[in-house]
Amino acid sequence: MKKIHVAVAVIEFDNQFLLGFRNEKQHQGNRYEFIGGKIDNNESPKSALIREIHEETGVDITDNPIIKMGQIHHDYSDKSVMLHIFKVIFNKSQFDNLQGGTGAENQPIIWVKKEDLLVKKYNLPDANARILEWLTLPNQIIISQELADFDNEKIAKSQENWVDFYANHLPKNTHFYARPKDNRANNCLVINELQKLRDDVKIFASASDTADLQINPNIVVLTHTDFADNFNNLPTNFRYFASCHTLDEIIKINQLSKMHTVLGIFLSPVKLTKTHPSAVPLGFESFAELANQSHVPVFALGGLSPNDCKNAQRYGAYGVSGIRGFL
């Protein structure tokens, strides 16, 4: 079966997203879709994206933020597609100029609210389902400090301090990788306590800690231990993230994402960090080369702060993550 490569634009303005509508005679007809089209043989995915958006909406996005999301392979009964997904941020002028209900080719278009999109109010092609999962991600993920950082003399005190600090300082609805890095019992104790106090926080937890948590984490993070086990007996009912450092690890996660719901990866270290002084930093150029190989959203990690987000996105990141620089 021939594989068709398609550039897809997840166009956003102020938590609203632009959808087109496929007529009944088209493949996957009578459905809404994100704007996009086939990548020609002489085009890169981003070049095709710019061309397709201009053809379908009349908007030139050359100077707009274009943020890599990932790639989706999907087999329909009659064709196989590889979708190259990018988020494109429109400005108010571009948004205002697309309020007439039709695009540049007189096709129906509509702006929809993010919350309506995520509850699947609009019927999208089957291959688009994973995009909705990716849209639940913010552009920043906070990672916890270790338990030992709060009091390495008395474990009970460090547990109390860890829970109090994050319960009182995490912003509302934060995506938070709880990584106490102690033994499993201590890790689970503090994560459980934090979950009780802050049920608004979206908890990430390592696969090794998940079994003993009272409430399942929102996302399970795969680490070097899970890579060593080749993901044996990995449950399919969780949503996953992974900590990656090499191309080989990214390739393994790309394979895993075909069978499991993988929302993204942490790719590190971008810069030198105090916590891992011996780790050789990638730098943004090498980071970009690796990020380009990922089929899922990439979060840049290592020596960064929220102020680095826009720069990281220029190098292929979906967002940034970190420890001390984020709280």
Side-chain angles (χ1 to χ4, degrees), residues 268-286:
S268 66
V270 179
K271 298 181 180 180
L272 191 66
T273 67
K274 292 181 180 179
T275 52
H276 298 86
S278 61
V280 179
L282 294 167
F284 274 116
E285 294 294 338
S286 294

mmCIF file with all atom_site columns, all heavy atoms in Angstrom, residues 268-286:
data_model
loop_
_atom_site.group_PDB
_atom_site.id
_atom_site.type_symbol
_atom_site.label_atom_id
_atom_site.label_alt_id
_atom_site.label_comp_id
_atom_site.label_asym_id
_atom_site.label_entity_id
_atom_site.label_seq_id
_atom_site.pdbx_PDB_ins_code
_atom_site.Cartn_x
_atom_site.Cartn_y
_atom_site.Cartn_z
_atom_site.occupancy
_atom_site.B_iso_or_equiv
_atom_site.pdbx_formal_charge
_atom_site.auth_seq_id
_atom_site.auth_comp_id
_atom_site.auth_asym_id
_atom_site.auth_atom_id
_atom_site.pdbx_PDB_model_num
ATOM 1   N N   . SER A 1 268 ? 17.004 15.423 26.721 1.00 0.00 ? 268 SER A N   1
ATOM 2   C CA  . SER A 1 268 ? 17.974 16.155 27.536 1.00 0.00 ? 268 SER A CA  1
ATOM 3   C C   . SER A 1 268 ? 19.370 15.521 27.447 1.00 0.00 ? 268 SER A C   1
ATOM 4   O O   . SER A 1 268 ? 19.510 14.405 26.944 1.00 0.00 ? 268 SER A O   1
ATOM 5   C CB  . SER A 1 268 ? 17.511 16.142 28.998 1.00 0.00 ? 268 SER A CB  1
ATOM 6   O OG  . SER A 1 268 ? 17.549 14.825 29.533 1.00 0.00 ? 268 SER A OG  1
ATOM 7   N N   . PRO A 1 269 ? 20.394 16.271 28.016 1.00 0.00 ? 269 PRO A N   1
ATOM 8   C CA  . PRO A 1 269 ? 20.326 17.655 28.501 1.00 0.00 ? 269 PRO A CA  1
ATOM 9   C C   . PRO A 1 269 ? 20.643 18.633 27.371 1.00 0.00 ? 269 PRO A C   1
ATOM 10  O O   . PRO A 1 269 ? 21.576 18.434 26.610 1.00 0.00 ? 269 PRO A O   1
ATOM 11  C CB  . PRO A 1 269 ? 21.401 17.687 29.577 1.00 0.00 ? 269 PRO A CB  1
ATOM 12  C CG  . PRO A 1 269 ? 22.452 16.730 29.063 1.00 0.00 ? 269 PRO A CG  1
ATOM 13  C CD  . PRO A 1 269 ? 21.705 15.651 28.307 1.00 0.00 ? 269 PRO A CD  1
ATOM 14  N N   . VAL A 1 270 ? 19.856 19.704 27.292 1.00 0.00 ? 270 VAL A N   1
ATOM 15  C CA  . VAL A 1 270 ? 20.119 20.714 26.274 1.00 0.00 ? 270 VAL A CA  1
ATOM 16  C C   . VAL A 1 270 ? 21.332 21.550 26.676 1.00 0.00 ? 270 VAL A C   1
ATOM 17  O O   . VAL A 1 270 ? 22.210 21.827 25.869 1.00 0.00 ? 270 VAL A O   1
ATOM 18  C CB  . VAL A 1 270 ? 18.886 21.618 26.075 1.00 0.00 ? 270 VAL A CB  1
ATOM 19  C CG1 . VAL A 1 270 ? 19.190 22.681 25.016 1.00 0.00 ? 270 VAL A CG1 1
ATOM 20  C CG2 . VAL A 1 270 ? 17.680 20.782 25.647 1.00 0.00 ? 270 VAL A CG2 1
ATOM 21  N N   . LYS A 1 271 ? 21.373 21.944 27.953 1.00 0.00 ? 271 LYS A N   1
ATOM 22  C CA  . LYS A 1 271 ? 22.488 22.717 28.485 1.00 0.00 ? 271 LYS A CA  1
ATOM 23  C C   . LYS A 1 271 ? 23.083 21.995 29.686 1.00 0.00 ? 271 LYS A C   1
ATOM 24  O O   . LYS A 1 271 ? 22.492 21.048 30.211 1.00 0.00 ? 271 LYS A O   1
ATOM 25  C CB  . LYS A 1 271 ? 22.024 24.122 28.898 1.00 0.00 ? 271 LYS A CB  1
ATOM 26  C CG  . LYS A 1 271 ? 21.469 24.974 27.770 1.00 0.00 ? 271 LYS A CG  1
ATOM 27  C CD  . LYS A 1 271 ? 21.059 26.350 28.293 1.00 0.00 ? 271 LYS A CD  1
ATOM 28  C CE  . LYS A 1 271 ? 20.498 27.232 27.197 1.00 0.00 ? 271 LYS A CE  1
ATOM 29  N NZ  . LYS A 1 271 ? 20.094 28.570 27.726 1.00 0.00 ? 271 LYS A NZ  1
ATOM 30  N N   . LEU A 1 272 ? 24.230 22.450 30.132 1.00 0.00 ? 272 LEU A N   1
ATOM 31  C CA  . LEU A 1 272 ? 24.861 21.894 31.325 1.00 0.00 ? 272 LEU A CA  1
ATOM 32  C C   . LEU A 1 272 ? 23.984 22.187 32.540 1.00 0.00 ? 272 LEU A C   1
ATOM 33  O O   . LEU A 1 272 ? 23.433 23.275 32.673 1.00 0.00 ? 272 LEU A O   1
ATOM 34  C CB  . LEU A 1 272 ? 26.238 22.516 31.519 1.00 0.00 ? 272 LEU A CB  1
ATOM 35  C CG  . LEU A 1 272 ? 27.149 21.865 32.568 1.00 0.00 ? 272 LEU A CG  1
ATOM 36  C CD1 . LEU A 1 272 ? 27.536 20.461 32.140 1.00 0.00 ? 272 LEU A CD1 1
ATOM 37  C CD2 . LEU A 1 272 ? 28.407 22.715 32.765 1.00 0.00 ? 272 LEU A CD2 1
ATOM 38  N N   . THR A 1 273 ? 23.844 21.196 33.438 1.00 0.00 ? 273 THR A N   1
ATOM 39  C CA  . THR A 1 273 ? 23.012 21.373 34.622 1.00 0.00 ? 273 THR A CA  1
ATOM 40  C C   . THR A 1 273 ? 23.806 21.089 35.887 1.00 0.00 ? 273 THR A C   1
ATOM 41  O O   . THR A 1 273 ? 24.774 20.321 35.876 1.00 0.00 ? 273 THR A O   1
ATOM 42  C CB  . THR A 1 273 ? 21.783 20.435 34.595 1.00 0.00 ? 273 THR A CB  1
ATOM 43  O OG1 . THR A 1 273 ? 22.229 19.074 34.709 1.00 0.00 ? 273 THR A OG1 1
ATOM 44  C CG2 . THR A 1 273 ? 21.004 20.611 33.305 1.00 0.00 ? 273 THR A CG2 1
ATOM 45  N N   . LYS A 1 274 ? 23.348 21.688 37.005 1.00 0.00 ? 274 LYS A N   1
ATOM 46  C CA  . LYS A 1 274 ? 23.989 21.452 38.295 1.00 0.00 ? 274 LYS A CA  1
ATOM 47  C C   . LYS A 1 274 ? 23.741 20.042 38.791 1.00 0.00 ? 274 LYS A C   1
ATOM 48  O O   . LYS A 1 274 ? 24.583 19.453 39.473 1.00 0.00 ? 274 LYS A O   1
ATOM 49  C CB  . LYS A 1 274 ? 23.472 22.465 39.314 1.00 0.00 ? 274 LYS A CB  1
ATOM 50  C CG  . LYS A 1 274 ? 23.890 23.900 39.048 1.00 0.00 ? 274 LYS A CG  1
ATOM 51  C CD  . LYS A 1 274 ? 23.347 24.837 40.118 1.00 0.00 ? 274 LYS A CD  1
ATOM 52  C CE  . LYS A 1 274 ? 23.761 26.276 39.848 1.00 0.00 ? 274 LYS A CE  1
ATOM 53  N NZ  . LYS A 1 274 ? 23.223 27.209 40.878 1.00 0.00 ? 274 LYS A NZ  1
ATOM 54  N N   . THR A 1 275 ? 22.578 19.475 38.453 1.00 0.00 ? 275 THR A N   1
ATOM 55  C CA  . THR A 1 275 ? 22.233 18.143 38.947 1.00 0.00 ? 275 THR A CA  1
ATOM 56  C C   . THR A 1 275 ? 22.981 17.033 38.217 1.00 0.00 ? 275 THR A C   1
ATOM 57  O O   . THR A 1 275 ? 23.187 15.956 38.761 1.00 0.00 ? 275 THR A O   1
ATOM 58  C CB  . THR A 1 275 ? 20.718 17.898 38.822 1.00 0.00 ? 275 THR A CB  1
ATOM 59  O OG1 . THR A 1 275 ? 20.314 18.178 37.473 1.00 0.00 ? 275 THR A OG1 1
ATOM 60  C CG2 . THR A 1 275 ? 19.942 18.794 39.770 1.00 0.00 ? 275 THR A CG2 1
ATOM 61  N N   . HIS A 1 276 ? 23.407 17.291 36.955 1.00 0.00 ? 276 HIS A N   1
ATOM 62  C CA  . HIS A 1 276 ? 24.149 16.287 36.187 1.00 0.00 ? 276 HIS A CA  1
ATOM 63  C C   . HIS A 1 276 ? 25.361 16.949 35.540 1.00 0.00 ? 276 HIS A C   1
ATOM 64  O O   . HIS A 1 276 ? 25.439 17.080 34.304 1.00 0.00 ? 276 HIS A O   1
ATOM 65  C CB  . HIS A 1 276 ? 23.255 15.645 35.125 1.00 0.00 ? 276 HIS A CB  1
ATOM 66  C CG  . HIS A 1 276 ? 22.076 14.899 35.681 1.00 0.00 ? 276 HIS A CG  1
ATOM 67  N ND1 . HIS A 1 276 ? 20.886 15.519 35.978 1.00 0.00 ? 276 HIS A ND1 1
ATOM 68  C CD2 . HIS A 1 276 ? 21.931 13.594 36.021 1.00 0.00 ? 276 HIS A CD2 1
ATOM 69  C CE1 . HIS A 1 276 ? 20.042 14.622 36.452 1.00 0.00 ? 276 HIS A CE1 1
ATOM 70  N NE2 . HIS A 1 276 ? 20.641 13.456 36.496 1.00 0.00 ? 276 HIS A NE2 1
ATOM 71  N N   . PRO A 1 277 ? 26.331 17.375 36.333 1.00 0.00 ? 277 PRO A N   1
ATOM 72  C CA  . PRO A 1 277 ? 27.471 18.131 35.793 1.00 0.00 ? 277 PRO A CA  1
ATOM 73  C C   . PRO A 1 277 ? 28.352 17.336 34.837 1.00 0.00 ? 277 PRO A C   1
ATOM 74  O O   . PRO A 1 277 ? 29.078 17.922 34.039 1.00 0.00 ? 277 PRO A O   1
ATOM 75  C CB  . PRO A 1 277 ? 28.245 18.531 37.052 1.00 0.00 ? 277 PRO A CB  1
ATOM 76  C CG  . PRO A 1 277 ? 27.842 17.528 38.095 1.00 0.00 ? 277 PRO A CG  1
ATOM 77  C CD  . PRO A 1 277 ? 26.415 17.187 37.797 1.00 0.00 ? 277 PRO A CD  1
ATOM 78  N N   . SER A 1 278 ? 28.286 16.005 34.908 1.00 0.00 ? 278 SER A N   1
ATOM 79  C CA  . SER A 1 278 ? 29.143 15.200 34.034 1.00 0.00 ? 278 SER A CA  1
ATOM 80  C C   . SER A 1 278 ? 28.486 14.884 32.688 1.00 0.00 ? 278 SER A C   1
ATOM 81  O O   . SER A 1 278 ? 29.140 14.366 31.776 1.00 0.00 ? 278 SER A O   1
ATOM 82  C CB  . SER A 1 278 ? 29.510 13.885 34.735 1.00 0.00 ? 278 SER A CB  1
ATOM 83  O OG  . SER A 1 278 ? 28.353 13.124 35.032 1.00 0.00 ? 278 SER A OG  1
ATOM 84  N N   . ALA A 1 279 ? 27.198 15.184 32.570 1.00 0.00 ? 279 ALA A N   1
ATOM 85  C CA  . ALA A 1 279 ? 26.489 14.890 31.320 1.00 0.00 ? 279 ALA A CA  1
ATOM 86  C C   . ALA A 1 279 ? 26.840 15.924 30.260 1.00 0.00 ? 279 ALA A C   1
ATOM 87  O O   . ALA A 1 279 ? 26.772 17.137 30.502 1.00 0.00 ? 279 ALA A O   1
ATOM 88  C CB  . ALA A 1 279 ? 24.984 14.878 31.570 1.00 0.00 ? 279 ALA A CB  1
ATOM 89  N N   . VAL A 1 280 ? 27.201 15.452 29.085 1.00 0.00 ? 280 VAL A N   1
ATOM 90  C CA  . VAL A 1 280 ? 27.578 16.359 27.996 1.00 0.00 ? 280 VAL A CA  1
ATOM 91  C C   . VAL A 1 280 ? 26.313 16.965 27.394 1.00 0.00 ? 280 VAL A C   1
ATOM 92  O O   . VAL A 1 280 ? 25.429 16.244 26.932 1.00 0.00 ? 280 VAL A O   1
ATOM 93  C CB  . VAL A 1 280 ? 28.360 15.611 26.904 1.00 0.00 ? 280 VAL A CB  1
ATOM 94  C CG1 . VAL A 1 280 ? 28.715 16.552 25.760 1.00 0.00 ? 280 VAL A CG1 1
ATOM 95  C CG2 . VAL A 1 280 ? 29.622 14.975 27.495 1.00 0.00 ? 280 VAL A CG2 1
ATOM 96  N N   . PRO A 1 281 ? 26.190 18.293 27.397 1.00 0.00 ? 281 PRO A N   1
ATOM 97  C CA  . PRO A 1 281 ? 24.978 18.920 26.861 1.00 0.00 ? 281 PRO A CA  1
ATOM 98  C C   . PRO A 1 281 ? 24.886 18.769 25.349 1.00 0.00 ? 281 PRO A C   1
ATOM 99  O O   . PRO A 1 281 ? 25.901 18.759 24.641 1.00 0.00 ? 281 PRO A O   1
ATOM 100 C CB  . PRO A 1 281 ? 25.123 20.384 27.269 1.00 0.00 ? 281 PRO A CB  1
ATOM 101 C CG  . PRO A 1 281 ? 26.588 20.595 27.441 1.00 0.00 ? 281 PRO A CG  1
ATOM 102 C CD  . PRO A 1 281 ? 27.135 19.287 27.943 1.00 0.00 ? 281 PRO A CD  1
ATOM 103 N N   . LEU A 1 282 ? 23.649 18.667 24.862 1.00 0.00 ? 282 LEU A N   1
ATOM 104 C CA  . LEU A 1 282 ? 23.432 18.522 23.428 1.00 0.00 ? 282 LEU A CA  1
ATOM 105 C C   . LEU A 1 282 ? 23.688 19.824 22.686 1.00 0.00 ? 282 LEU A C   1
ATOM 106 O O   . LEU A 1 282 ? 24.229 19.823 21.577 1.00 0.00 ? 282 LEU A O   1
ATOM 107 C CB  . LEU A 1 282 ? 21.979 18.093 23.158 1.00 0.00 ? 282 LEU A CB  1
ATOM 108 C CG  . LEU A 1 282 ? 21.556 16.710 23.638 1.00 0.00 ? 282 LEU A CG  1
ATOM 109 C CD1 . LEU A 1 282 ? 20.041 16.574 23.579 1.00 0.00 ? 282 LEU A CD1 1
ATOM 110 C CD2 . LEU A 1 282 ? 22.208 15.644 22.760 1.00 0.00 ? 282 LEU A CD2 1
ATOM 111 N N   . GLY A 1 283 ? 23.285 20.945 23.296 1.00 0.00 ? 283 GLY A N   1
ATOM 112 C CA  . GLY A 1 283 ? 23.240 22.201 22.552 1.00 0.00 ? 283 GLY A CA  1
ATOM 113 C C   . GLY A 1 283 ? 22.024 22.174 21.640 1.00 0.00 ? 283 GLY A C   1
ATOM 114 O O   . GLY A 1 283 ? 21.489 21.105 21.311 1.00 0.00 ? 283 GLY A O   1
ATOM 115 N N   . PHE A 1 284 ? 21.567 23.333 21.216 1.00 0.00 ? 284 PHE A N   1
ATOM 116 C CA  . PHE A 1 284 ? 20.320 23.384 20.457 1.00 0.00 ? 284 PHE A CA  1
ATOM 117 C C   . PHE A 1 284 ? 20.442 22.788 19.056 1.00 0.00 ? 284 PHE A C   1
ATOM 118 O O   . PHE A 1 284 ? 19.467 22.252 18.520 1.00 0.00 ? 284 PHE A O   1
ATOM 119 C CB  . PHE A 1 284 ? 19.783 24.815 20.384 1.00 0.00 ? 284 PHE A CB  1
ATOM 120 C CG  . PHE A 1 284 ? 18.938 25.195 21.574 1.00 0.00 ? 284 PHE A CG  1
ATOM 121 C CD1 . PHE A 1 284 ? 19.343 26.200 22.434 1.00 0.00 ? 284 PHE A CD1 1
ATOM 122 C CD2 . PHE A 1 284 ? 17.739 24.535 21.833 1.00 0.00 ? 284 PHE A CD2 1
ATOM 123 C CE1 . PHE A 1 284 ? 18.562 26.542 23.534 1.00 0.00 ? 284 PHE A CE1 1
ATOM 124 C CE2 . PHE A 1 284 ? 16.961 24.872 22.925 1.00 0.00 ? 284 PHE A CE2 1
ATOM 125 C CZ  . PHE A 1 284 ? 17.361 25.873 23.772 1.00 0.00 ? 284 PHE A CZ  1
ATOM 126 N N   . GLU A 1 285 ? 21.603 22.843 18.442 1.00 0.00 ? 285 GLU A N   1
ATOM 127 C CA  . GLU A 1 285 ? 21.741 22.283 17.097 1.00 0.00 ? 285 GLU A CA  1
ATOM 128 C C   . GLU A 1 285 ? 21.574 20.762 17.115 1.00 0.00 ? 285 GLU A C   1
ATOM 129 O O   . GLU A 1 285 ? 20.827 20.194 16.312 1.00 0.00 ? 285 GLU A O   1
ATOM 130 C CB  . GLU A 1 285 ? 23.101 22.666 16.496 1.00 0.00 ? 285 GLU A CB  1
ATOM 131 C CG  . GLU A 1 285 ? 23.276 24.151 16.239 1.00 0.00 ? 285 GLU A CG  1
ATOM 132 C CD  . GLU A 1 285 ? 22.343 24.693 15.177 1.00 0.00 ? 285 GLU A CD  1
ATOM 133 O OE1 . GLU A 1 285 ? 21.856 23.889 14.342 1.00 0.00 ? 285 GLU A OE1 1
ATOM 134 O OE2 . GLU A 1 285 ? 22.088 25.911 15.182 1.00 0.00 ? 285 GLU A OE2 1
ATOM 135 N N   . SER A 1 286 ? 22.261 20.085 18.027 1.00 0.00 ? 286 SER A N   1
ATOM 136 C CA  . SER A 1 286 ? 22.118 18.630 18.135 1.00 0.00 ? 286 SER A CA  1
ATOM 137 C C   . SER A 1 286 ? 20.738 18.256 18.657 1.00 0.00 ? 286 SER A C   1
ATOM 138 O O   . SER A 1 286 ? 20.161 17.236 18.248 1.00 0.00 ? 286 SER A O   1
ATOM 139 C CB  . SER A 1 286 ? 23.201 18.060 19.054 1.00 0.00 ? 286 SER A CB  1
ATOM 140 O OG  . SER A 1 286 ? 24.480 18.226 18.488 1.00 0.00 ? 286 SER A OG  1
#
